[in-house]
Amino acid sequence: MTEIQKEASRITRQYQSRIPSFKTVEEEAAFWDTHSSVEFEDELEVVTDVIFVKARPRKRGLTVRLDEDTLTRLAQQAQEKGVGPSTLARMWILERLRRSENDVAGMKGGA
């Protein structure tokens, strides 16, 4: 079987799978708690090159209210830098936090 045939076969199996799609890891765990992988042997394949990727910490949103003039100025500077306004604001916040932490660390070291 050629690589193209294998891929076509895999795609066909994927669309006809009896294994449902899961929205969360918990949902998938609950499914496998009540089903045996033996029931789906014909749909499974051996994988030898498994790579585990550490999940990134979840990010949370923050609303910052700005007047129209400030938002316009932020958007202009962001455009000049080739980023979006939210990205530029996040960069500035992180930069200021690092500077503040360095200032505090410097004061403790000099005292």
Side-chain angles (χ1 to χ4, degrees), residues 33-46:
D33 282 345
T34 58
H35 294 80
S36 169
S37 60
V38 174
E39 297 174 50
F40 305 96
E41 260 182 326
D42 59 321
E43 295 188 44
L44 304 176
E45 61 185 71
V46 176

Side-chain angles (χ1 to χ4, degrees), residues 2-50:
T2 68
E3 287 301 315
I4 293 173
Q5 289 170 324
K6 287 179 186 176
E7 181 65 12
S9 175
R10 186 190 66 73
I11 291 170
T12 301
R13 282 193 315 270
Q14 181 180 14
Y15 288 113
Q16 298 172 352
S17 178
R18 293 171 290 139
I19 302 171
S21 295
F22 306 103
K23 294 180 183 169
T24 65
V25 172
E26 293 77 16
E27 188 179 302
E28 184 170 3
F31 175 84
W32 290 113
D33 282 345
T34 58
H35 294 80
S36 169
S37 60
V38 174
E39 297 174 50
F40 305 96
E41 260 182 326
D42 59 321
E43 295 188 44
L44 304 176
E45 61 185 71
V46 176
V47 179
T48 58
D49 57 347
V50 177

Side-chain angles (χ1 to χ4, degrees), residues 104-111:
V104 169
M107 285 190 283
K108 287 182 181 178

Side-chain angles (χ1 to χ4, degrees), residues 33-94:
D33 282 345
T34 58
H35 294 80
S36 169
S37 60
V38 174
E39 297 174 50
F40 305 96
E41 260 182 326
D42 59 321
E43 295 188 44
L44 304 176
E45 61 185 71
V46 176
V47 179
T48 58
D49 57 347
V50 177
I51 299 172
F52 291 94
V53 179
K54 185 176 180 181
R56 291 183 179 172
R58 279 184 61 181
K59 294 182 180 182
R60 295 178 49 199
L62 169 70
T63 301
V64 178
R65 290 175 182 18
L66 301 172
D67 61 69
E68 196 65 38
D69 181 55
T70 303
L71 185 55
T72 299
R73 290 170 38 220
L74 175 64
Q76 288 171 340
Q77 289 192 33
Q79 185 176 17
E80 290 171 12
K81 295 180 183 303
V83 297
S86 295
T87 301
L88 182 58
R90 184 173 43 254
M91 289 167 50
W92 284 348
I93 290 168
L94 293 172

